[in-house]
């Protein structure tokens, strides 16, 4: 997985830090990225999960924190969820290093942030990097600031700096011997929870034909166990994975997965995504049916959406956090609307239908009319009418991938183990014309 550029922007579009690995002119596209961010993402939570902007042949995945935007530019096919994990790592490092701070504070630490980015990426390839090491680089008063004080002669801190470096090196050795994610002395509430989350990436043409259909999944563990336990996670089926990547905690025993298809690892403390997978060539059937209708009549564009809940494999599910975003060509004015559920928000060249819950056995409808001038109508008919869906379905697994069993060794005799499935929309698009 290689990226072209990593960047950090303020919420007014100012470039705070960036590293260009290839495609020297990609930096010039950041103003266009910022324009689309303001137009389609600011002020709405509809695209909260894994937002991506496309500009020509490049994708711009990004995450936000306070008044900071952290993003990447990619021009090749990559595991998107793995890249987002790296962006969230950078986000977590900045949150820990600059709590409750703004972009102004980051401006004062751009040098150390640049060194931190160089530590995360090597010629555009994300490296396996420990969060606490990155924090020691970037946070005020961290190792880089200490060394800079010595080099520029502001303060005689040689003894302190040498001691700090020795502690850092000794810590690395101790971490490798035990576990780089937890301390043996840690005391927990003896609970471990797993989420198997699958993101549905689907693109349909105007005739309902499938252009893209795949699942990107991730397994998260929320570990609150004492000591240094070892977990063994048994999945019900793994032969359908076209590709997978693992968290570094699984690398020492990756042969166990290759040989026995069992995830064996010492879990990091807290919540961590330990496993990513991709499934192609699978027929995806979500627990709802979305039926769009597009008509051009007398300088008017009439669009109707019918949304029906439906069972999957004999089981019915409530669909939560349902959002439908309709993007239309420039030159249309929103007219009459008819809606049985939810709220409607008008955006620039788009409307956002916040549906909320789609209950079992229910169906809802939205009908909207747009108008245009006569001289623009023919041009508008040639424009693109796109629908993007966002949703969450708890307890649902589109690929039927589930955790069958979890074994805990070197752990407490009495502990709580639970696992659940969650399905979410990834990039889910329907082209109306």
């Amino acid at each position: 997985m290689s990226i072209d550029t990593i960047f950090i922007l303020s919420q007014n579009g100012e470039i705070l830090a960036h590293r260009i690995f290839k495609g020297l002119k990609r930096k010039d596209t950041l103003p266009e990225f910022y324009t689309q961010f303001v137009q389609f993402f600011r002020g709405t939570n509809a695209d909260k999960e894994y937002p991506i902007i496309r500009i020509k042949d490049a994708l711009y995945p990004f995450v936000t924190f306070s008044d900071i935007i952290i993003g990447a530019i990619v021009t090749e096919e990559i595991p998107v969820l793995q890249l987002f994990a790296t962006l969230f790592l950078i986000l977590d490092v900045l949150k820990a290093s600059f709590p409750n701070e703004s972009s102004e504070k980051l401006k004062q630490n751009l040098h150390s942030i640049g060194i931190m980015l160089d530590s995360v990426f090597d010629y555009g390839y994300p490296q396996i990097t420990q969060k606490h090491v990155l924090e020691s680089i970037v946070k005020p008063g961290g190792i880089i600031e200490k060394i800079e004080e010595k080099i520029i002669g502001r303060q005689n801190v040689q003894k302190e700096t040498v001691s700090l470096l020795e502690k850092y090196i000794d810590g690395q050795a101790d971490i490798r011997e035990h576990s780089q994610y937890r301390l043996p002395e840690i005391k927990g509430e003896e609970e471990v929870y797993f989420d198997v989350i699958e993101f549905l990436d689907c693109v349909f043409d105007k005739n309902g034909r499938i252009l893209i259909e795949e699942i990107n999944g991730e397994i998260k563990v929320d570990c609150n166990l004492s000591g240094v336990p070892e977990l063994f996670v048994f999945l019900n089926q793994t032969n359908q994975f076209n590709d997978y990547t693992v968290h570094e905690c699984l690398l020492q025993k990756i042969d166990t997965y290759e040989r026995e298809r069992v995830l064996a690892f010492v879990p990091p403390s807290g919540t961590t995504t330990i496993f990513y997978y991709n499934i192609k060539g699978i027929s995806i059937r979500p627990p709802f049916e979305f039926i769009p209708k597009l008509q051009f009549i007398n300088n008017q564009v009439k669009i109707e959406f019918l949304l029906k809940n439906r069972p999957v494999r004999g089981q019915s599910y409530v669909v939560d956090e349902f959002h439908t975003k309709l993007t239309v060509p420039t030159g249309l004015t929103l007219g009459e609307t008819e809606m049985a559920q939810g709220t409607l928000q008008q955006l620039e060249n788009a409307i956002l239908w916040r549906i909320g819950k789609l209950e079992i056995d229910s169906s809802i409808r939205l009908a909207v009319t747009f108008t245009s001038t006569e001289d623009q109508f023919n041009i508008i008919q040639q424009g693109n009418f796109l629908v993007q869906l966002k949703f969450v379905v708890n307890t649902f697994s589109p690929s039927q991938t589930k955790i069958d069993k979890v074994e805990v060794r070197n752990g407490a005799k009495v502990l709580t183990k639970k696992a659940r499935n969650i399905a979410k929309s990834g990039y889910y698009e329907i082209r109306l014309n």
Side-chain angles (χ1 to χ4, degrees):
M1 180 180 78
S2 173
I3 68 172
D4 291 33
T5 300
I6 184 77
F7 61 87
I8 301 176
L9 304 182
S10 68
Q11 287 279 6
N12 62 10
E14 179 184 2
I15 300 174
L16 300 178
H18 74 285
R19 285 292 185 269
I20 300 174
F21 306 109
K22 57 184 178 179
L24 297 181
K25 294 184 179 180
R26 295 290 178 187
K27 180 184 174 184
D28 298 338
T29 64
L30 291 181
E32 171 62 20
F33 163 84
Y34 180 71
T35 298
Q36 292 201 31
F37 167 79
V38 172
Q39 181 177 358
F40 298 112
F41 291 90
R42 179 176 285 173
T44 174
N45 291 324
D47 297 284
K48 185 177 177 182
E49 294 281 355
Y50 302 105
I52 298 176
I53 288 174
R54 177 185 289 275
I55 301 176
K56 295 182 179 178
D57 62 335
L59 295 177
Y60 294 67
F62 66 92
V63 296
T64 60
F65 159 53
S66 184
D67 62 347
I68 305 300
I69 306 168
I70 305 170
I73 305 176
V74 295
T75 55
E76 61 182 52
E77 186 174 344
I78 62 169
V80 174
L81 292 179
Q82 183 181 358
L83 176 55
F84 268 106
T86 305
L87 294 179
F88 280 116
L89 168 64
I90 298 172
L91 178 68
D92 289 342
V93 169
L94 294 180
K95 282 183 177 180
S97 303
F98 306 99
N100 303 318
E101 297 287 359
S102 67
S103 57
E104 293 303 317
K105 186 65 176 179
L106 266 65
K107 289 179 184 179
Q108 301 172 19
N109 295 270
L110 291 183
H111 178 57
S112 59
I113 291 173
I115 295 175
M116 184 265 290
L117 293 178
D118 289 335
S119 301
V120 177
F121 295 94
D122 183 15
Y123 295 101
Y125 291 90
Q127 302 300 297
I128 297 175
T129 310
Q130 300 167 36
K131 179 183 173 185
H132 75 277
V133 175
L134 297 177
E135 290 176 6
S136 73
I137 294 173
V138 75
K139 69 170 51 175
I143 187 170
I144 295 301
E145 192 169 298
K146 298 285 188 183
I147 294 173
E148 282 180 342
E149 288 177 353
K150 168 59 182 171
I151 293 173
I152 66 178
R154 285 199 315 234
Q155 190 178 345
N156 185 9
V157 293
Q158 181 178 8
K159 193 171 183 180
E160 183 181 355
T161 301
V162 171
S163 175
L164 183 66
L165 286 170
E166 288 177 346
K167 183 178 180 181
Y168 173 81
I169 294 169
D170 290 343
Q172 285 283 78
D174 182 64
I175 284 168
R176 281 195 297 269
E177 182 180 353
H178 296 96
S179 169
Q180 56 199 23
Y181 321 107
R182 60 191 301 117
L183 297 174
E185 296 81 9
I186 191 171
K187 298 297 181 182
E189 297 180 3
E190 312 307 343
E191 299 172 339
V192 60
Y193 300 98
F194 291 87
D195 284 341
V196 182
I197 307 173
E198 295 191 330
F199 296 87
L200 283 61
D201 291 344
C202 299
V203 177
F204 302 88
D205 70 7
K206 64 180 181 180
N207 297 314
R209 288 192 297 262
I210 298 171
L211 303 179
I212 298 175
E213 189 175 36
E214 65 179 49
I215 292 173
N216 288 294
E218 62 182 40
I219 299 177
K220 286 187 175 183
V221 57
D222 183 2
C223 180
N224 195 3
L225 300 176
S226 303
V228 186
E230 190 171 9
L231 302 188
F232 295 82
V233 179
F234 297 80
L235 302 176
N236 65 333
Q237 50 187 8
T238 59
N239 55 2
Q240 61 179 345
F241 298 158
N242 294 95
D243 191 17
Y244 68 87
T245 56
V246 300
H247 185 272
E248 49 194 309
C249 66
L250 281 112
L251 291 177
Q252 288 186 341
K253 293 195 174 183
I254 192 63
D255 58 326
T256 304
Y257 177 77
E258 296 285 357
R259 184 179 62 253
E260 304 175 20
R261 296 303 183 186
V262 176
L263 302 177
F265 60 100
V266 174
S269 299
T271 302
T272 308
T273 302
I274 59 168
F275 191 78
Y276 301 89
Y277 59 88
N278 174 266
I279 303 175
K280 294 183 173 69
I282 185 173
S283 178
I284 299 175
R285 179 182 170 88
F288 62 84
E289 187 176 8
F290 184 82
I291 306 171
K293 184 178 181 181
L294 172 66
Q295 293 180 297
F296 299 101
I297 305 173
N298 298 329
N299 299 335
Q300 291 185 333
V301 180
K302 295 182 179 293
I303 299 175
E304 181 179 326
F305 298 149
L306 181 60
L307 193 55
K308 297 180 178 181
N309 189 294
R310 66 181 180 185
V312 179
R313 297 186 290 270
Q315 178 69 43
S316 296
Y317 303 87
V318 174
V319 184
D320 288 311
E321 301 177 33
F322 216 129
H323 296 75
T324 299
K325 181 180 179 181
L326 168 65
T327 303
V328 300
T330 302
L332 286 175
T333 301
L334 180 62
E336 296 180 359
T337 62
E338 183 182 340
M339 178 178 53
Q341 178 180 328
T343 62
L344 202 63
Q345 178 183 357
Q346 187 172 358
L347 308 173
E348 186 173 352
N349 298 327
I351 58 172
L352 180 63
W353 183 22
R354 291 188 173 92
I355 299 163
K357 288 183 181 289
L358 181 64
E359 300 287 354
I360 293 173
D361 296 330
S362 68
S363 64
I364 55 177
R365 174 179 172 270
L366 170 69
V368 295
T369 301
F370 292 91
T371 60
S372 76
T373 60
E374 186 174 352
D375 58 333
Q376 287 185 304
F377 193 64
N378 289 334
I379 299 174
I380 286 172
Q381 291 184 72
Q382 305 305 315
N384 294 322
F385 290 80
L386 302 175
V387 178
Q388 291 173 296
L389 304 184
K390 291 289 181 181
F391 52 84
V392 176
V393 188
N394 292 307
T395 73
F396 176 57
S397 172
S399 72
Q400 301 186 68
T401 299
K402 297 182 179 181
I403 294 177
D404 271 346
K405 181 175 65 171
V406 176
E407 292 183 0
V408 180
R409 301 177 187 175
N410 301 323
K413 292 183 178 180
V414 179
L415 52 85
T416 301
K417 301 178 291 184
K418 291 183 180 180
R420 64 177 180 176
N421 285 84
I422 304 173
K424 297 186 177 183
S425 54
Y427 190 79
Y428 206 102
E429 177 182 277
I430 301 162
R431 300 172 184 176
L432 302 186
N433 65 337

